[in-house]
Amino acid sequence: MAALQLQALRAPAAAAAPLRSSSFCTPLSLPAPAPPRRGARASTASARITMRFGVASKQAYICRDCGYIYSDRTPFDKLPDKYFCPVCGAPKRRFKPYEPKVAKNANATDARKARKEQLKKDEAVGQALPIGIAVGILALAGLFFYLNSVY
């Protein structure tokens, strides 16, 4: 008797979610997803998500010449190519993405001067890197020829 009741309980579950086998994976016994509700608006939910994502992805840009940070409401990519830095007049191509969080007084004179000094140090390291690589390659070549002549 208990076996018949157990069989009767299993039969509707198997009919509700038929399992398909594939050569890529084994079938799983997952419940079927709930059908969408009537009157639900899926398109407005996806539109809200994309609008919020657009706001969240807003990024600040810093002028390489003076340290001015652009973080206005208009996205930097939407600015015309004729955009110039309001402080030093550098063209739009002289701006680069700025990762740290931007404070309210980010464009104060003292803060800009400190960022400008940091930018100069970063660019100096970037300019010295090719020289360091060339010296390293020459040292390895010299070591190679020395070891081949000795041994």
Side-chain angles (χ1 to χ4, degrees), residues 131-145:
I131 296 170
I133 291 172
V135 169
I137 290 172
L138 288 174
L140 286 174
L143 180 65
F144 174 77
F145 288 120

Side-chain angles (χ1 to χ4, degrees), residues 111-133:
R112 275 190 296 106
K113 286 183 180 179
R115 276 194 309 274
K116 183 178 178 180
E117 293 301 320
Q118 184 63 36
L119 285 170
K120 284 184 180 179
K121 288 179 186 175
D122 293 345
E123 288 180 1
V125 169
Q127 291 172 353
L129 187 61
I131 296 170
I133 291 172

Side-chain angles (χ1 to χ4, degrees), residues 40-59:
R41 296 181 183 170
S43 61
T44 58
S46 63
R48 268 190 263 138
I49 290 171
T50 56
M51 287 191 308
R52 287 182 185 160
F53 180 76
V55 172
S57 66
K58 181 179 149 188
Q59 183 173 6

Side-chain angles (χ1 to χ4, degrees), residues 6-122:
L6 191 60
Q7 210 173 26
L9 290 175
R10 287 185 190 163
L19 299 176
R20 296 180 183 176
S21 64
S22 171
S23 62
F24 294 108
C25 65
T26 59
L28 299 174
S29 59
L30 298 175
R37 295 184 326 208
R38 287 188 180 180
R41 296 181 183 170
S43 61
T44 58
S46 63
R48 268 190 263 138
I49 290 171
T50 56
M51 287 191 308
R52 287 182 185 160
F53 180 76
V55 172
S57 66
K58 181 179 149 188
Q59 183 173 6
Y61 283 78
I62 185 168
C63 177
R64 292 179 181 172
D65 296 337
C66 69
Y68 172 80
I69 295 177
Y70 177 85
S71 61
D72 289 345
R73 291 184 181 203
T74 305
F76 192 76
D77 299 334
K78 302 278 184 190
L79 291 174
D81 291 335
K82 294 187 238 177
Y83 177 78
F84 289 97
C85 176
V87 176
C88 68
K92 183 179 174 183
R93 66 178 180 272
R94 292 294 298 157
F95 282 79
K96 71 176 185 176
Y98 187 67
E99 291 82 19
K101 191 172 181 179
V102 180
K104 288 190 176 189
N105 64 345
N107 287 322
T109 306
D110 297 333
R112 275 190 296 106
K113 286 183 180 179
R115 276 194 309 274
K116 183 178 178 180
E117 293 301 320
Q118 184 63 36
L119 285 170
K120 284 184 180 179
K121 288 179 186 175
D122 293 345

